[in-house]
Structure formats: C-alpha cells, structure tokens
Amino acid sequence: MRSPKSARRSTRLKLRKRSKRLLARLRLTLEARIMRVHGRSMTPTLHPNDLILVQQRGFALRPPRRGDMVAISPAVLGGRTIVKRIIGLPREVLTIEGREWRLADEEFFVVGDRMDGSLDSRVLGPVRQREMIGPVQMRLWPFFRRA
C-alpha cells in the first residue's frame, strides 16, 4: 500500500502533466488562425467555404518544404490572404508553361492545386518567406467530405 505522501506526489505529477498539456493546447490556439477558403484554386483538397487551421509562425521550427500547403499574404494583394502549395524552394530554377523562374534566397514558388485560373506565383511572382502566414494544419469544417 502506498503512503499518503507518495499518493500526494503522484497526484501532483499528474496535475503538472495535465497543466503542461493544457498550456501547450492554449499556446497552439493562440498562435493559430482559423480561416475560410475562398475560390476554387485548391480543389479537390480544399473547397470554397472550408474552414482551415493555419499555424502562425509555423516555420519558426522548420523551414517551408515542397508540398506544404501555406497561407500567404503577398504585398501585391494588399493584405488579402490566399492558400497555395509550395512547389519551388529558394535558389531553384523552375520552368513552368515555357517560362523560366530563378528563385532568390527566401523566395518560394506557390501554385494552386487546380492550376487553371489560379492566382499564384505564375501571376504574382515568387513569394518571400516573410509573406507566409504559416502552414495549413488541418481542415476544421466540414469534418468529412464525400468524394
């Protein structure tokens, strides 16, 4: 049988673990932004009016990678936020639709999953990392979607 002192210590440890998890969730909530998707450029992955969770400062721990879905706010759009996928990384040379793009340091090439009619780097030019809000973590709504 455990002593009362041992039981109190065990309870304190459990409470400490729970509070750390709660603080981690709270921090995630405070550093995340819920956004609504506008437009069809990310279909079939995201559809108009989907709600997504974007991790602000999500690239503080790791650099953006090819294939990441990111929320960006390019200066040329005057603060408007859009969601795109990274296909080109800094210091790469890309040829898209017969045009060559040379990316400088801190520049990324982003496109929509549905490239026809997408407002992306082919129109706006490369996106700098400081214009990225963060990676899309998950779709919040709708929870499930039939194919």
Side-chain angles (χ1 to χ4, degrees), residues 35-55:
M35 296 176 53
R36 183 175 302 278
V37 175
H38 300 283
R40 299 188 178 281
S41 68
M42 289 303 292
T43 55
T45 310
L46 298 173
H47 294 268
N49 296 318
D50 284 0
L51 291 179
I52 56 173
L53 184 69
V54 176
Q55 182 68 44

Side-chain angles (χ1 to χ4, degrees), residues 84-116:
K84 301 296 172 194
R85 191 172 306 276
I86 296 174
I87 65 164
L89 301 174
R91 296 182 297 282
E92 287 185 345
V93 178
L94 302 166
T95 302
I96 298 176
E97 297 175 347
R99 183 170 176 193
E100 186 173 277
W101 296 88
R102 293 184 180 278
L103 302 178
D105 290 340
E106 300 287 317
E107 285 186 340
F108 296 84
F109 202 87
V110 296
V111 296
D113 285 356
R114 191 173 139 188
M115 292 178 72
D116 60 317

Side-chain angles (χ1 to χ4, degrees), residues 10-42:
S10 175
T11 303
R12 273 190 245 130
L13 286 173
K14 286 179 185 175
L15 286 173
R16 190 174 295 149
K17 285 181 182 179
R18 285 183 185 167
S19 63
K20 283 183 180 180
R21 279 184 281 196
L22 179 63
L23 286 174
R25 283 185 181 180
L26 181 60
R27 189 179 57 181
L28 172 67
T29 303
L30 293 176
E31 292 179 0
R33 181 189 296 186
I34 296 174
M35 296 176 53
R36 183 175 302 278
V37 175
H38 300 283
R40 299 188 178 281
S41 68
M42 289 303 292

